[in-house]
Amino acid sequence: VTGRSPVAHRPRRADGQRNYDAILTAATAEFTAHGSQASLGEIASQAGVAIGTLYRHFPTRATLIEAATRDGLTSLLDYADKVSAAGDPVDALTAWMSRAVDYFSTFRGLAQTLTESRNGDNALSETACAELTRCGVRMLEAAQATGRIRADLTAEELFDLLGAAAWVRETSQPGHDGSVRLLAVMIAGIRS
Amino acid sequence: VTGRSPVAHRPRRADGQRNYDAILTAATAEFTAHGSQASLGEIASQAGVAIGTLYRHFPTRATLIEAATRDGLTSLLDYADKVSAAGDPVDALTAWMSRAVDYFSTFRGLAQTLTESRNGDNALSETACAELTRCGVRMLEAAQATGRIRADLTAEELFDLLGAAAWVRETSQPGHDGSVRLLAVMIAGIRS
DNA sequence: ACCTGAACACCGTTCAAGT
DNA sequence: ACCTGAACACCGTTCAAGT
């Protein structure tokens, strides 16, 4: 690997830690309200720090997005274990896909960041990206082993489906969520 | 309807027409190179006009996008007639869907503009939006009449599928086009 | 180690002045 | 009717100065 992605700066002083937390809280609120393109100046302002402090802790927008979605990713990975232990691998896969679309839709623009990361465009850290990929591969292969899911479906294609469904949700008008029906069509389409 | 979308200004003088054409040419090039978020200042500069002239002819970004994709839309509508006359309505639908994804992918960001237009968010003119919708409805209903396409699939959902596939294509890494496989999954999923 | 904020480059949009 | 470009507001990013 030539140039790995920048990572959020871990503070070593108490005031640094306080600012780090305040920025993360403000970022979560702003991303939720205005999507991944929320103004960094506004985030710094809401956190009560100068813009340089934000850049010190989070050198790129992607590091901030990753930190703001870390808990959601952990939760998704835990869910995969839980639903895998429960029983049928195909049911587990479809339940996990629905949950993954929720995660991809944490805020507007996240699906694009995640998909671009998988395709190597700067964006998120390799570790976060690899955790998610390994989880998806595991779910898919277990389901394919039953013979009821198309054997020629790749993990890359599975993640394309998830990103596409999340995109539909975030582009839909607020009232109606088009991703539910879309996911149903997809799940029907990946059966053998 | 409370407030209809602004439309491109039709020039009535020779110099106005020349500038209009130059802006449209420059816009097409810039949208192709940098997506629907291309810099309007750069477009004006490439067209050899001042920024105010661009705004005079195209009061919003959406009017410029619509003008830059007008030929593509006409071509898609013609294709629908051609393929409908050819024979099997299900084959016609699937062929048209593939072509529609091409149109949606004319440049990065167009799929989002089209989908938001359908959902009423400013964006494109009602006429362009209605033409596309009527065409999709016609293709879908003819295919559903054969009984081989799910009767509960709505036109709105069909357009969600198209937008999603186009999004995957524009988000994919340049080499590999993920929308081909995604479309295959979708077409499998909408069969009865 | 960390914070501040000025500085720079860039972009979208409007509008008064001019032909 | 049409064109120009200054003006304003906004945003991202860097970095010298300070604690």
Side-chain angles (χ1 to χ4, degrees):
Chain A
V1 188
T2 46
R4 72 195 146 185
S5 317
V7 181
H9 191 263
R10 294 296 182 83
R12 314 182 183 201
R13 242 168 52 181
D15 57 343
Q17 183 68 52
R18 245 179 298 122
N19 285 337
Y20 181 99
D21 293 341
I23 292 165
L24 201 45
T25 299
T28 301
E30 283 298 292
F31 286 150
T32 301
H34 303 113
S36 62
Q37 295 308 313
S39 159
L40 298 180
E42 183 62 32
I43 291 172
S45 173
Q46 277 194 22
V49 303
I51 185 63
T53 300
L54 184 148
Y55 274 94
R56 172 169 181 81
H57 289 296
F58 303 99
T60 66
R61 184 181 289 271
T63 59
L64 195 48
I65 290 173
E66 176 163 348
T69 56
R70 175 128 219 109
D71 288 351
L73 177 57
T74 302
S75 174
L76 177 64
L77 298 176
D78 289 346
Y79 184 76
D81 288 339
K82 177 187 157 196
V83 80
S84 290
D88 181 62
V90 173
D91 289 347
L93 174 64
T94 59
W96 181 81
M97 284 174 68
S98 177
R99 188 70 141 70
V101 174
D102 290 344
Y103 167 63
F104 276 53
S105 307
T106 306
F107 45 75
R108 248 180 315 136
L110 178 60
Q112 180 157 355
T113 301
L114 291 171
T115 303
E116 286 173 351
S117 287
R118 265 197 323 112
N119 293 342
D121 278 12
N122 54 23
L124 305 194
S125 74
E126 282 182 35
T127 65
C129 198
E131 282 178 307
L132 181 59
T133 300
R134 256 181 292 135
C135 182
V137 168
R138 190 157 29 88
M139 300 302 291
L140 177 61
E141 289 182 349
Q144 284 173 324
T146 68
R148 288 184 285 135
I149 295 293
R150 299 173 68 96
D152 62 350
L153 186 72
T154 68
E156 193 172 350
E157 288 159 3
L158 175 64
F159 281 107
D160 281 346
L161 298 183
L162 300 176
W167 179 85
V168 166
R169 176 177 297 179
E170 74 188 25
T171 311
S172 293
Q173 43 200 342
H176 149 74
D177 178 3
S179 76
V180 175
R181 284 284 298 167
L182 179 59
L183 203 55
V185 168
M186 288 174 172
I187 288 170
I190 66 175
R191 297 199 129 95
S192 295
Chain B
V1 188
T2 47
R4 74 197 145 182
S5 317
V7 181
H9 191 264
R10 292 297 180 85
R12 314 182 185 202
R13 243 169 51 182
D15 58 341
Q17 182 67 52
R18 244 180 297 122
N19 286 337
Y20 181 99
D21 294 341
I23 292 165
L24 201 46
T25 300
T28 300
E30 283 298 292
F31 286 150
T32 301
H34 303 113
S36 62
Q37 296 308 312
S39 160
L40 297 181
E42 183 62 33
I43 291 172
S45 173
Q46 277 194 19
V49 302
I51 185 64
T53 301
L54 185 147
Y55 274 94
R56 172 170 182 80
H57 289 295
F58 303 98
T60 66
R61 183 181 289 270
T63 60
L64 196 47
I65 290 174
E66 177 164 349
T69 56
R70 175 130 217 107
D71 289 351
L73 176 57
T74 302
S75 174
L76 177 64
L77 299 177
D78 289 347
Y79 184 75
D81 289 338
K82 177 186 157 199
V83 79
S84 290
D88 181 63
V90 174
D91 289 347
L93 175 65
T94 59
W96 181 80
M97 284 175 68
S98 178
R99 188 72 141 70
V101 174
D102 290 344
Y103 167 63
F104 276 55
S105 306
T106 306
F107 45 74
R108 249 178 316 135
L110 178 59
Q112 180 157 355
T113 301
L114 292 171
T115 303
E116 285 172 352
S117 288
R118 265 197 324 114
N119 292 341
D121 278 13
N122 55 24
L124 305 195
S125 73
E126 281 182 36
T127 66
C129 199
E131 282 178 307
L132 181 58
T133 300
R134 256 181 291 134
C135 182
V137 167
R138 189 159 27 89
M139 299 302 290
L140 177 61
E141 289 182 349
Q144 284 172 324
T146 69
R148 289 184 284 134
I149 295 292
R150 298 174 67 97
D152 62 349
L153 187 71
T154 68
E156 195 173 350
E157 288 160 4
L158 175 64
F159 281 107
D160 281 346
L161 298 183
L162 300 176
W167 179 84
V168 166
R169 177 178 297 179
E170 74 188 26
T171 312
S172 293
Q173 44 201 339
H176 149 75
D177 178 3
S179 76
V180 176
R181 284 284 297 167
L182 179 57
L183 203 54
V185 168
M186 287 174 172
I187 289 169
I190 65 176
R191 296 199 130 95
S192 297

